[in-house]
């Protein structure tokens, strides 16, 4: 799943990005409000981690603008201002959660998992499609109750398809989620990883269907 970190402190942003990449997210970073709005307009994110004290356009304005445009991406506000008034203002402006600095990485990761589940209307941390299951807390796949061995790229492909199960996923959006917005758009790369994932779930109760001219769909048989 792809995250956007909006943080003007380069050191903190880089640390967060590295930590969340290790947690198997695809991460992009914006260091000011204008850059954040540009990236949000261009791409789709599972969640946004948003600082409020940003150059050019402050975080609260970014949040209000994307909500006015109908963007419902889950947003966690990070800020040094932990006052009640500040929390209320952020939540009233459309934030899904609020975390005061300094914070523990484990807490941020737990809050990310929670807002992403809520954003996909998932009450349980486990997503089950036929005999394929994804534990969104541990990010582990099981197939017929046994661990499914996947490379990091294969995992990203299958995770995105599972989160979008039953709907059409374009090659472009899948590529963007797996490789990031700045990666070269090589359609064959995604085709290779989809082929590998198909082989690993072959004979199960789920399939990755190719919708010619449209993209892919993960569905139960």
């Amino acid at each position: 799943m792809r995250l956007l970190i909006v943080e003007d402190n380069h050191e903190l942003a880089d640390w967060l990005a590295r930590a969340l990449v290790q947690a198997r997210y695809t991460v992009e970073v914006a260091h000011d409000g204008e850059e954040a709005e540009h990236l949000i307009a261009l791409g789709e994110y599972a969640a946004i981690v948003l600082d409020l004290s940003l150059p050019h356009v402050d975080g609260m304005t970014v949040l209000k603008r994307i909500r006015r445009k109908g963007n419902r991406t889950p947003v966690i506000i990070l800020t040094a201002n932990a006052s009640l008034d500040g929390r209320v203002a952020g939540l009233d402006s459309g934030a899904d959660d609020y975390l005061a600095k300094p914070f523990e990485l484990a807490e941020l990761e737990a809050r990310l998992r929670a807002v992403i589940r809520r954003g996909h209307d998932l009450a349980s941390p486990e997503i089950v499609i036929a005999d394929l299951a994804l534990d969104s807390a541990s990010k582990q796949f099981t197939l017929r109750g046994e661990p499914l061995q996947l490379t990091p790229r294969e995992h990203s492909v299958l995770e995105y398809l599972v989160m979008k199960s039953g709907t059409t996923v374009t090659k472009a959006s899948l590529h963007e989620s797996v490789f990031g917005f700045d990666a070269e758009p090589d359609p064959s790369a995604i085709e290779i990883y989809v082929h590998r994932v198909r082989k690993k779930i072959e004979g199960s109760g789920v399939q990755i269907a190719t919708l010619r001219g449209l993209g892919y769909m993960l569905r139960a048989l």
Side-chain angles (χ1 to χ4, degrees):
M1 286 179 283
R2 199 160 64 112
L3 304 178
L4 177 63
I5 297 171
V6 189
E7 170 61 61
D8 66 328
N9 182 317
H10 287 240
E11 186 176 350
L12 175 58
D14 291 346
W15 172 75
L16 265 181
R18 288 195 303 270
L20 292 171
V21 165
Q22 289 182 348
R24 294 186 176 177
Y25 292 101
T26 300
V27 179
E28 292 176 6
V29 177
H31 295 297
D32 63 66
E34 286 182 356
E35 183 184 8
E37 288 186 309
H38 176 70
L39 291 174
I40 293 166
L42 290 176
E44 181 181 347
Y45 297 95
I48 299 168
V49 179
L50 178 66
D51 186 34
L52 292 184
S53 301
L54 298 171
H56 307 310
V57 180
D58 66 86
M60 196 70 79
T61 299
V62 171
L63 177 60
K64 290 176 179 177
R65 285 177 177 175
I66 68 171
R67 292 303 190 229
R68 280 200 297 266
K69 292 176 182 176
N71 187 312
R72 307 313 304 165
T73 303
V75 174
I76 297 178
I77 288 178
L78 287 185
T79 182
N81 177 12
S83 69
L84 176 61
D85 288 346
R87 294 197 302 272
V88 169
L91 294 170
D92 283 347
S93 296
D96 297 87
D97 206 345
Y98 206 103
L99 193 57
K101 299 176 183 177
F103 58 88
E104 294 293 333
L105 179 62
E107 183 178 6
L108 174 60
E109 290 183 4
R111 288 173 182 263
L112 278 168
R113 291 192 295 268
V115 298
I116 290 169
R117 284 201 305 272
R118 290 201 298 269
H120 288 84
D121 295 324
L122 302 172
S124 167
E126 188 174 57
I127 306 165
V128 180
I129 304 167
D131 48 6
L132 176 69
L134 169 63
D135 187 321
S136 61
S138 66
K139 292 187 173 293
Q140 295 298 312
F141 278 104
T142 55
L143 188 63
R144 305 185 200 93
E146 297 295 326
L148 181 60
Q149 301 301 320
L150 299 166
T151 67
R153 294 293 194 199
E154 292 166 358
H155 189 286
S156 295
V157 166
L158 186 54
E159 183 178 35
Y160 189 76
L161 290 171
V162 163
M163 297 300 287
K164 300 286 187 180
S165 62
T167 62
T168 303
V169 173
T170 66
K171 283 186 182 179
S173 66
L174 184 55
H175 185 281
E176 191 176 310
S177 177
V178 172
F179 294 101
F181 179 74
D182 293 328
E184 287 296 322
D186 179 5
S188 64
I190 280 299
E191 291 170 4
I192 290 168
Y193 285 111
V194 169
H195 173 74
R196 291 178 181 174
V197 172
R198 276 191 176 127
K199 295 293 288 183
K200 293 190 175 182
I201 63 174
E202 199 170 37
S204 71
V206 294
Q207 70 167 183
I208 302 172
T210 298
L211 307 177
R212 198 166 299 279
L214 297 174
Y216 303 105
M217 180 186 293
L218 181 82
R219 60 193 180 194
L221 292 173

